[in-house]
Amino acid sequence: MGKAYFALTFLVLLSIGNNSVQAQIKDYPPVTATKNGTRNPFSPDPIINYTWANPKATDDLESYQLHPVNYTVSDSRSFNTDDFKKNKVIVVNGEGYIRFDFGQTNAGWVEFDSPDLTGKVEMSISEYNQTPNYPSNYPTKTLFPKKLGNTYRLELNPDLYEGVRFAWIHVRSFSKSWRITGVRVVCQTRPVNYNGSFSCSDTTLTRIWYTGAYTVKLNLLKDYLGAILMNRGDRFSWTGDAHPSQAASMVAFGNYDFVKKNIDYTSTQSNGIRSYALYWVLSLIDYYKYTGDTTTLKKYIDNASAKLDDAYKVYGTNPNLEFFGWDERLGSGFEHPNLPEPQNAYKMVSIRAWKEFSEVMNVYGRKDLRDKYLSYATEKISDLKKNAAWYQDFGLHAGADAVSTGFLNSNEKKAIYEKSFADKVNRISYSPFNQHFIIQAFALMNKYDDALSSIRDLWGGQIKYGGTTFFEDYRPSWNAVVSKNGPVPNNQCGFTSLCHPWGAGVTKWLSEEVLGIKPTSPGFATFDILPHLGRTLTNVSGKTPTPRGVISASFDVSTGLSNVSIPVGTLGRIGIPKVEKTIMNIKINGVLAWNGRSRSAQTFDRASEDAQFVYFTGVKPGNYQIVTTYKGKSPRYSELAEVYPAKFIGIDSITSGNWGKVYGKDGYVLCNYNGDGKDKKSLPSYVTGVNYYKVKGNSLPLNVVWKTDTNDSRALSPDAVNSFPRTAACLFAMDADQIGYTFTSTIDIKGTKDFKVSLYFVDWDNKGRKIAVEMFDAASSKLIAPVKIVENCLGGAYLTYSYNKSVKFRINMVRGDNAVLSGVFFDPN
C-alpha cells in the first residue's frame, strides 16, 4: 500500500474542569466559566458559549482542553485507530506519523499520553496541514517531547503555549507495539465574554465578525495584547500596532479595563515607527470615545501631544519612516519605507490625528490644545490645497488616509475613488492591518457596497482558504494556487502569521458601519444607530457593549421590521435605512412616527430625512419595535470583475535546462552563471536592465553555483543551441532574521513594448522547494497578475507571462530552504 493516507473525522471534545489533572499546570488553572447554551455556528471559538461571572483585566489566564476533530495517518499498517473514536486509543505498529487537526487555531500546547511508549518519538505543530520544515536557523516547530509521567508534552518555548491548528506525532524508530491513550491541546484563555454580537443576511460577513473577535481573544495574553505565534518577532504590542485589535476588542467584548491596560503598556513601547505613534494616539481617542474615561485621557495628554508635536516637526521633511506596511506600494515593509506613497500617507495620518485629537480636546475642555492641533491640521491641508492637483499622485493607502482626514470635498473624494478604489484587485492591501484604514475610507465616501465586496475578498478569502483566525498578509489569488489550509507564501514579512490580531479591525468596522452603532459623545452618552446595508444585505442585527449598558439593534429591510434597545443614561439617534426605496410610513411601538413628516411622539425629540435615512433624534432609553412600510426595490449591486493587466501564459515543467529554440528568442539572463553574482546575459534592445534587490546586507540576493561543467540537463544551457557542459547556479535569499526569505527582480523596459518573459526555477539540491511568484508593474507597484506557485521544480520549471511595460517580480519561499531564481528569458509576444 506504500504511504497511503487515511483520515477519520469525529466530534470535537472539550474538557473543562479537573479532567486529566496531569495535563494541567499550576500557572493555568481550569476555566471558571459556566456553559451557557450552544456554540455559535459562525464562530471558530470552541468556548464562545462559556461565560465568566465578572471577568477583569487583573484575572490570570485559565485553561481548557480540546481533542482532535480529525486525524490522518501516513500508513494504516503503522497505526491501528479502530479504538480511537470511542476510547482515544491508537496502537502504534510501526514508523510514520499521525497528523491531528484540532479544528481551529488555538493558543496552547500539545501533549499525548502513553503508558508504554518505546522507540523515538518527535512532535510537531503548525498552522498549516503540512509538517513544518523551517530552515535550521529559524525557530523549529518539531522537537522531542518532554516526559511527565505518562504524558509527553511538546514544549517549544518557556511560556509553553503557541498558535496551533495541526499537530503531529512522528514515530522515528520502532521496536514493539505501544499505545497512545489520549491526545489533546491544552489551551490558554483570558477570561472575557462576548458582550457584543453581529449577524446579517450574508453569513460570510457574520463569520468574519466572529473570526476577527476570536483572533483578538486568542491574543489577549496575561498582561497585554500580543501575538501567540513564537515564529513572529512581534509577540507583544508596539506603540500603535494594536489600534485595530483594541478597537475590535471593545465592540466584541467591552473589556475596556484590559484595553486601558494595553494602552498603558504600549504608551512607551516605541519601535521607531512614526506612523504607529500616531495610531497609538488614535487608539487613545477610540478608547475615550467608547468609555468616557477622562482620567486615562488626562494621564496621556502630554504623551499624545509629544507624539503629535513630533509629527508636526518632521512633516514635509520626508522623515525616515522605518516601516509603513507590508504592501508593495508602501515600500514592502522595511525594504523601501520612504517611497512617496508612504510619505504621503504619513502626512495624511498626521493631519487626521491632529484633527481628531483637537476634537477630543474640545470635548475635554482644553481649548488651548483644541486650537493648537486644529491649526496644525488646517495649516497643512490648506498648504496642500493651494495646488489643485495635490492628491493626484496618491495611491490607495495615501488616498484612504487623505479621505479619513475629513477635509476632502466631494470632487477630491470622487477622483481618489476612481483612481484607486474602483480596481477590484488593487483596492485590496496586502496587509489586513492597512486594509482597516481603506474600508474606513470606503465608508466616508459612502461606498458601502464596494467596501463589503473588498471585505469578502480579503477577509472572506482567508476563511475560504480554511483560516479560523486572520492573517498578517493575504492575497485573494492565493486561494487558486494554495490548497485548503496549505502553506502560504512567505514574503517580506518573513514567515507569514495566520493568527495576527492586528488584522482584525474589520470586526469594529462591521459593528460601526453595517450594524451602525457608534458613540457621538464620550462613553456613549449619545450615540448613532445608522445601519448601512447597501444593495447586497437585507438584514443586520447585533449588540454593542457600552459602559452604560448594551445597545442592541436589528433591521430587516425586506420585512420592514426593526428592534432597538437603548440603555438608561443615553440618548440615541436612529436612522431607518431607505436602501434606495421610498419609505411610506414608520410606526414606533404601534404609534405612527413618520409619514413623510415627523409626527409628535414622546419617545424622540424630532424626525428628519435625507437620501439615506429617516432619522429619529433624541431617542430616549427603552425598547422599541419599529415597523417601516417600504415602496419600491433596491437596485442590484454590480460586482466588479477582477482585471489583471498582465497575462499569465503558463508553466512548463518539460523543457528543463534546454531553453534554446523554446525561450530567449529576444534575449536572456542566466543568473549567477559566471559566479559571484555575475550573470551571463544578452538583453534585447527594449530591455534597459535587469536588477535584483533583497533587504538587509548589501541589498542583493545571495548566490550559489551548485555545479560547473555538468551534463545534467536541468542546468541551463550556456547558449541557444542547448550545448554542454553547463553550470547550475541561482540567486536566492535567506537571512537569519525574520526578513529576507524573498527577493525581487526588476526588468526595465524602454517605453511600452509587448513582450513575453519567462522565469526559470530549479530545485537542484532537492530541498523540496515551493516558490511563489508575484508580478507588479514596476512604476505603480500594483499587482498585475495572480500569484502563482511553482509546486515542484526538481526537474526545472518555467513560468511565462506577457506584459508591455517595466515589471517587478517578487520571488517568495513557500516551502524548502529558500526561494531561488536561475534564469530570465525574453520572447516576442
Side-chain angles (χ1 to χ4, degrees), residues 47-64:
I47 60 168
I48 189 174
N49 56 327
Y50 284 75
T51 58
W52 282 262
N54 184 29
K56 302 179 295 297
T58 54
D59 291 341
D60 204 347
L61 296 171
E62 298 177 354
S63 67
Y64 58 93

Side-chain angles (χ1 to χ4, degrees), residues 444-692:
L444 291 168
M445 293 185 289
N446 197 29
K447 297 291 186 179
Y448 288 95
D449 287 315
D450 290 335
L452 292 175
S453 176
S454 74
I455 288 169
R456 294 179 184 106
D457 288 343
L458 181 65
W459 285 282
Q462 294 170 57
I463 292 173
K464 288 180 181 177
Y465 154 85
T468 58
T469 51
F470 288 137
F471 308 169
E472 181 175 18
D473 294 308
Y474 173 76
R475 295 200 191 282
S477 62
W478 285 0
N479 285 13
V481 291
V482 177
S483 62
K484 195 172 184 68
N485 293 121
V488 302
N490 297 292
N491 298 11
Q492 53 271 44
C493 65
F495 282 86
T496 302
S497 163
L498 300 193
C499 184
H500 208 64
W502 328 133
V506 64
T507 294
K508 184 197 180 194
W509 191 93
L510 289 169
S511 287
E512 285 199 344
E513 300 298 343
V514 178
L515 182 58
I517 300 174
K518 65 174 69 173
T520 53
S521 61
F524 283 87
T526 62
F527 61 90
D528 280 346
I529 307 179
L530 303 178
H532 295 91
L533 284 77
R535 296 178 173 182
T536 62
L537 301 178
T538 58
N539 65 71
V540 65
S541 63
K543 298 178 180 179
T544 295
T546 83
R548 301 167 189 266
V550 172
I551 300 170
S552 65
S554 66
F555 299 87
D556 190 321
V557 296
S558 62
T559 65
L561 299 179
S562 304
N563 289 277
V564 173
S565 179
I566 297 177
V568 174
T570 66
L571 286 176
R573 180 176 67 148
I574 301 174
I576 305 301
K578 291 185 174 181
V579 291
E580 300 178 81
K581 301 179 185 179
T582 299
I583 291 180
M584 305 303 293
N585 60 68
I586 301 171
K587 292 181 180 180
I588 300 179
N589 290 343
V591 178
L592 183 64
W594 176 266
N595 63 351
R597 61 187 180 88
S598 179
R599 314 294 293 181
S600 61
Q602 295 181 345
T603 56
F604 60 90
D605 291 339
R606 65 186 181 88
S608 61
E609 69 174 330
D610 62 14
Q612 295 187 72
F613 296 98
V614 171
Y615 301 91
F616 295 98
T617 304
V619 183
K620 299 173 178 59
N623 299 317
Y624 300 98
Q625 184 181 72
I626 304 170
V627 179
T628 303
T629 301
Y630 288 100
K631 181 181 179 181
K633 187 177 181 180
S634 299
R636 294 185 56 137
Y637 174 64
S638 298
E639 185 73 54
L640 293 173
E642 287 187 342
V643 177
Y644 289 100
K647 182 180 180 181
F648 174 68
I649 295 176
I651 185 167
D652 170 8
S653 299
I654 303 299
T655 301
S656 198
N658 303 313
W659 57 270
K661 300 180 182 179
V662 181
Y663 301 102
K665 297 180 182 67
D666 284 353
Y668 60 86
V669 177
L670 309 182
C671 303
N672 191 42
Y673 211 82
N674 296 323
D676 197 27
K678 297 182 177 68
D679 299 338
K680 177 181 175 64
K681 58 188 176 183
S682 174
L683 297 182
S685 60
Y686 55 84
V687 175
T688 60
V690 176
N691 303 296
Y692 313 105

Side-chain angles (χ1 to χ4, degrees), residues 289-304:
K289 287 180 177 179
Y290 266 70
T291 65
D293 181 354
T294 56
T295 300
T296 297
L297 177 67
K298 179 181 179 181
K299 177 181 178 180
Y300 288 112
I301 285 176
D302 290 345
N303 184 306

Side-chain angles (χ1 to χ4, degrees), residues 137-316:
N137 63 345
Y138 211 79
T140 183
K141 296 294 185 75
T142 300
L143 286 176
F144 291 104
K146 182 175 181 179
K147 188 176 187 299
L148 302 167
N150 287 336
T151 295
Y152 296 81
R153 177 183 296 153
L154 180 61
E155 298 187 358
L156 293 173
N157 57 73
D159 295 319
L160 290 183
Y161 68 88
E162 254 288 9
V164 52
R165 165 76 187 266
F166 298 95
W168 286 259
I169 297 175
H170 308 275
V171 180
R172 303 299 193 192
S173 66
F174 176 81
S175 58
K176 64 179 181 178
S177 294
W178 56 278
R179 293 167 295 159
I180 297 170
T181 58
V183 179
R184 60 192 161 269
V185 56
V186 183
C187 306
Q188 69 167 34
T189 186
R190 163 160 287 284
V192 65
N193 295 328
Y194 286 81
N195 293 314
S197 65
F198 179 87
S199 179
C200 71
S201 52
D202 183 342
T203 56
T204 294
L205 297 177
T206 303
R207 197 175 298 277
I208 287 169
W209 190 94
Y210 282 101
T211 301
Y214 180 60
T215 304
V216 172
K217 183 187 173 189
L218 281 184
N219 293 284
L220 298 176
L221 307 183
K222 182 175 181 179
D223 297 314
Y224 49 80
L225 202 165
I228 61 173
L229 296 171
M230 285 295 285
N231 65 334
R232 291 292 299 132
D234 47 358
R235 243 178 104 76
F236 59 88
S237 298
W238 291 108
T239 295
D241 61 359
H243 172 48
S245 315
Q246 292 172 170
S249 189
M250 289 191 293
V251 300
F253 312 121
N255 55 339
Y256 306 121
D257 58 343
F258 188 87
V259 172
K260 174 182 176 294
K261 190 174 183 179
N262 203 62
I263 288 173
D264 291 337
Y265 179 80
T266 58
S267 61
T268 56
Q269 292 284 352
S270 175
N271 58 0
I273 298 176
R274 291 186 175 277
S275 58
Y276 279 27
L278 298 180
Y279 295 147
W280 183 89
V281 176
L282 294 178
S283 293
L284 178 65
I285 292 169
D286 254 359
Y287 170 77
Y288 177 62
K289 287 180 177 179
Y290 266 70
T291 65
D293 181 354
T294 56
T295 300
T296 297
L297 177 67
K298 179 181 179 181
K299 177 181 178 180
Y300 288 112
I301 285 176
D302 290 345
N303 184 306
S305 295
K307 291 176 169 66
L308 295 171
D309 291 345
D310 179 69
Y312 183 77
K313 178 181 177 181
V314 302
Y315 182 97

